[in-house]
């Protein structure tokens, strides 16, 4: 792996690795042309206005899209 510089045109790829009604796990790749520069992952939880964890309702449009993998990020 190598560093990127300000003038580089980078391709950042993102995948949803897993999804539940309470969280999403993402995997990332940063590439310059065909060279893989970095990989990463992150977990994101759904929270309410007070910052408390919540589960999406089964009829939530976002949850339905995630189940069908029809979402493009």
């Amino acid at each position: 792996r190598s560093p990127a510089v300000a003038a580089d045109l980078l391709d950042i790829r993102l995948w949803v690795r897993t999804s539940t009604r309470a969280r999403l796990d993402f995997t990332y790749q940063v590439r310059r042309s065909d060279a893989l520069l970095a990989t990463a992952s992150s977990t994101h939880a759904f929270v309410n206005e007070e910052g408390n964890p919540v589960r999406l309702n089964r009829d939530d449009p976002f949850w339905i899209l995630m189940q069908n993998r029809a979402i493009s990020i």
Side-chain angles (χ1 to χ4, degrees), residues 10-41:
L10 302 175
D11 180 21
I12 300 173
R13 300 174 186 183
L14 167 81
W15 294 268
V16 177
R17 186 178 52 207
T18 58
S19 61
T20 70
R21 291 177 39 225
R23 73 169 197 269
L24 295 171
D25 296 314
F26 293 105
T27 299
Y28 310 85
Q29 287 184 346
V30 179
R31 295 180 171 271
R32 181 180 49 234
S33 298
D34 289 331
L36 180 62
L37 303 181
T39 60
S41 63

Side-chain angles (χ1 to χ4, degrees), residues 21-64:
R21 291 177 39 225
R23 73 169 197 269
L24 295 171
D25 296 314
F26 293 105
T27 299
Y28 310 85
Q29 287 184 346
V30 179
R31 295 180 171 271
R32 181 180 49 234
S33 298
D34 289 331
L36 180 62
L37 303 181
T39 60
S41 63
S42 61
T43 299
H44 302 257
F46 297 109
V47 297
N48 63 16
E49 294 81 15
E50 291 81 32
N52 298 318
V54 297
R55 291 184 185 271
L56 294 179
N57 292 324
R58 292 189 190 278
D59 61 351
D60 185 286
F62 183 76
W63 174 247
I64 293 168

